Amino acid sequence: MTTSYDTYIFDLDGTLLETLEDLTAAVNYALRHHGMPEHSLADVRRFVGNGVKMLMVRAVPDGESNPQFEAAFATFRTYYLEHSLDATHPYAGIPELLAELKSRGKHLAVVSNKFYAATQSLCRHFFPDTIQVAIGEHESEGIRKKPAPDTVVEALRQLGVGKENAVYIGDSDVDLQTALNAGLPCISVLWGFRDRDFLKENGATTFVAAPHEILTI
């Protein structure tokens, strides 16, 4: 079956990669290092979705008001950049999906609220032959993080295509809002960090339960 889109813009964490274990380890390393209480995997699952700084705002007691917040965030960043490949792996069926889309001549990109360096590193490691463009958080260059449309716009620019016949694929409410702000349809995946009920409450209308189902939309 021929897919109806020419360009596929993917979220990374919870969509292409299962990263929760490494994120939790990095959060807890930073918290432990600074004498703060640690969190469960389920806690961190709830905290993710708005970038790593917001992850730490939610994880640190009193968030940015905590006098140790910046130090804890710096510790998290250093540790995560060194350990982002410890347990992270693609979800089952993702490499095959990307390979099939590439074989059909589709344009493939990743946009993430993860550190720019980590986004680039993970995509190079796991998807070197399929993902053409990977955009992470780098507000210093004037590109706002999701749900602003900036990363999507930048990905399309680097791919050299317009938003016509492009689709956004993600696992969260932030992804739904990003797609809306960028003027793209959104496919919500059900294997990520948020469940169907939560996604429906936030406006999701198109769901896939397994990666290969994307080929039928």
Side-chain angles (χ1 to χ4, degrees):
M1 180 179 293
T2 302
T3 50
S4 59
Y5 298 106
D6 297 323
T7 302
Y8 291 75
I9 309 292
F10 292 91
D11 171 53
L12 188 60
D13 294 40
T15 300
L16 296 183
L17 294 179
E18 170 55 276
T19 58
L20 192 60
E21 189 173 336
D22 284 335
L23 286 169
T24 301
V27 166
N28 284 335
Y29 176 85
L31 295 175
R32 189 165 58 248
H33 185 77
H34 293 279
M36 301 175 189
E38 298 180 35
H39 289 286
S40 68
L41 202 72
D43 289 338
V44 176
R45 181 183 293 274
R46 292 195 306 272
F47 296 161
V48 297
N50 297 89
V52 288
K53 184 170 185 179
M54 184 55 68
L55 165 60
M56 287 301 290
V57 168
R58 292 164 175 161
V60 170
D62 299 320
E64 289 184 276
S65 299
N66 190 310
Q68 294 192 80
F69 175 79
E70 291 299 336
F73 182 46
T75 300
F76 165 87
R77 180 187 179 103
T78 299
Y79 183 92
Y80 184 71
L81 288 173
E82 294 174 354
H83 294 273
S84 63
L85 295 174
D86 287 2
T88 289
H89 59 276
Y91 289 100
I94 286 297
E96 295 81 1
L97 167 68
L98 297 179
E100 179 61 24
L101 289 172
K102 182 183 178 183
S103 76
R104 299 184 186 190
K106 308 302 181 180
H107 303 288
L108 307 177
V110 161
V111 296
S112 176
N113 277 345
K114 187 184 290 294
F115 301 130
Y116 190 86
T119 301
Q120 293 271 313
S121 176
L122 288 167
C123 287
R124 281 195 305 267
H125 181 81
F126 289 109
F127 314 118
D129 300 320
T130 48
I131 295 298
Q132 300 163 264
V133 170
I135 307 293
E137 181 180 4
H138 55 334
E139 292 186 14
S140 62
E141 295 184 22
I143 297 176
R144 298 169 297 169
K145 69 180 184 178
K146 299 185 296 182
D150 301 28
T151 52
V152 174
V153 172
E154 177 62 13
L156 293 171
R157 186 192 69 78
Q158 291 191 26
L159 287 170
V161 299
K163 66 179 182 179
E164 299 76 23
N165 294 319
V167 64
Y168 186 99
I169 301 164
D171 73 304
S172 73
D173 53 323
V174 174
D175 294 315
L176 287 160
Q177 191 61 50
T178 301
L180 179 65
N181 291 340
L184 299 183
C186 187
I187 298 172
S188 295
V189 308
L190 296 177
W191 56 81
F193 298 156
R194 302 290 184 264
D195 62 24
R196 180 189 288 267
D197 289 342
F198 178 89
L199 293 168
K200 285 185 70 175
E201 289 172 4
N202 283 275
T205 57
T206 304
F207 301 93
V208 289
H212 68 84
E213 295 177 14
I214 292 171
L215 297 171
T216 69
I217 297 175

